[in-house]
Amino acid sequence: MFVTYHKVTGIVIETDNKDVKAEEFKEAILSCKHKFSKEMSLRIEWKKIRSREVSFVYYNGDFTGDLKDRAEMLNTGIHIRNVTRKDSGTYRCEISAKSEHGARLGETTIVLTVLVPPTTPICEVPSSAMTGTVVELSCKENEGSPPSRYQWYKNGVALLEKTATGGARAANVTYSMNKKSGTLLFNTVTRNDTGEYFCEASNGIGLPQKCAVKRMQVDDLNVSGIIAAVVFVALVMALCGLGVFYAQKKGYFGRESSSQKKSNYQSTSEKDFKHTKSFVI
């Protein structure tokens, strides 16, 4: 029994762009080029790679899955119409060729990123705060691709981003702004931080989006009011205590007890009398 082994050698597959970016609902071209003669028998396959999962995109001369009605072949490349965010991912073009010298294999990988403009961010701004406390404002949207960056505004003016080197303008800043996460943190909020705040999300795709303006009112801690409230509660408790003491001294609680005992005694006597009368009869 004789076994024939076909020699397999590598071939070079090229692409015009290994990192393709396309706006959502527009078109994208994934190029895949070779230098074989037209007479050679070629087998072309496209696959999409998701983590450890690999699925066919183009197989046996036809598109599959979501691209079935939205894609067409351009020689050995792919033209995708009306791309969606679900099309983002890593694609692999695989070409095999048979010749009298054996089989030849080659592949190239292309990353497709579908660009999506941001949606209106959700902002959380406390309506009131006390001076000296820690206050955090948050801003977030999850639709944009690439991920959005965030800019906070106070009274219509963009807030400065405090850097590690600081500077003359940043020296008096009482907050720290994280443009990546969208948080605006006041470690010790002051009355000067009172104002109207809103946040803007942008990723370079489409127009920036902003949330509704919300007012934050910062007030001093009312120490005198707290002291007055404590004194009032103490006076009320003292008056209640004096009232109980006075009632006890006047014997109001004792009289009530004696009256109750007398009533109980009369009730018991009447029962005994009725019982004796019944026994005599």
Side-chain angles (χ1 to χ4, degrees):
M1 180 178 178
F2 295 95
V3 179
T4 302
Y5 294 94
H6 296 282
K7 184 178 180 182
V8 178
T9 59
I11 56 176
V12 177
I13 305 296
E14 298 177 346
T15 179
D16 292 335
N17 189 356
K18 294 184 69 68
D19 188 11
V20 177
K21 292 180 172 57
E23 292 188 31
E24 191 172 29
F25 308 125
K26 293 187 178 181
E27 64 177 20
I29 295 177
L30 311 182
S31 71
C32 181
K33 297 181 177 181
H34 63 84
K35 295 181 179 180
F36 299 120
S37 63
K38 296 182 179 179
E39 290 75 18
M40 295 185 68
S41 176
L42 301 179
R43 181 181 179 86
I44 304 169
E45 293 180 355
W46 278 86
K47 299 175 182 177
K48 188 175 183 180
I49 305 170
R50 300 185 185 91
S51 298
R52 298 180 181 179
E53 179 184 354
V54 179
S55 59
F56 280 102
V57 172
Y58 181 81
Y59 175 74
N60 200 22
D62 198 8
F63 286 94
T64 63
D66 295 337
L67 296 183
K68 188 172 182 62
D69 300 321
R70 294 189 294 116
E72 59 186 3
M73 294 296 294
L74 289 179
N75 294 323
T76 52
I78 295 179
H79 174 218
I80 305 175
R81 302 182 302 274
N82 196 30
V83 295
T84 69
R85 63 194 70 188
K86 292 182 179 179
D87 296 329
S88 293
T90 301
Y91 293 79
R92 187 168 65 208
C93 172
E94 300 176 358
I95 299 179
S96 59
K98 292 182 180 180
S99 68
E100 58 183 5
H101 301 292
R104 296 185 177 184
L105 303 175
E107 65 180 41
T108 187
T109 301
I110 301 169
V111 176
L112 171 61
T113 303
V114 178
L115 306 176
V116 183
T119 56
T120 302
I122 297 175
C123 298
E124 294 185 1
V125 179
S127 58
S128 61
M130 291 295 181
T131 57
T133 59
V134 178
V135 176
E136 183 178 88
L137 283 62
S138 64
C139 178
K140 193 68 177 177
E141 71 87 25
N142 297 313
E143 298 296 325
S145 175
S148 293
R149 291 181 65 83
Y150 305 94
Q151 172 65 54
W152 277 97
Y153 292 79
K154 175 189 175 184
N155 298 332
V157 179
L159 295 177
L160 297 172
E161 184 177 17
K162 189 176 181 180
T163 61
T165 55
R169 297 184 65 187
N172 296 324
V173 171
T174 60
Y175 60 83
S176 59
M177 180 171 54
N178 190 323
K179 291 194 173 185
K180 185 176 181 180
S181 66
T183 58
L184 180 64
L185 179 65
F186 295 89
N187 288 320
T188 51
V189 71
T190 68
R191 293 184 63 182
N192 291 332
D193 296 319
T194 294
E196 297 181 339
Y197 291 83
F198 72 88
C199 169
E200 187 177 75
S202 61
N203 64 352
I205 311 301
L207 297 175
Q209 299 294 320
K210 65 180 182 179
C211 62
V213 177
K214 296 182 179 180
R215 181 175 179 79
M216 181 175 71
Q217 180 67 40
V218 182
D219 295 313
D220 291 329
L221 189 64
N222 192 351
V223 178
S224 59
I226 294 175
I227 294 175
V230 171
V231 171
F232 177 77
V233 172
L235 287 174
V236 170
M237 293 179 65
L239 289 173
C240 289
L242 288 174
V244 172
F245 175 76
Y246 180 78
Q248 287 180 339
K249 187 175 181 181
K250 292 295 184 178
Y252 292 134
F253 295 134
R255 290 176 182 177
E256 183 181 355
S257 179
S258 300
S259 176
Q260 186 177 1
K261 287 181 180 179
K262 184 177 180 180
S263 176
N264 291 337
Y265 175 75
Q266 288 176 350
S267 178
T268 304
S269 300
E270 289 177 0
K271 289 180 180 180
D272 291 342
F273 173 75
K274 291 178 181 179
H275 178 73
T276 304
K277 184 177 180 182
S278 176
F279 178 78
V280 172
I281 293 171

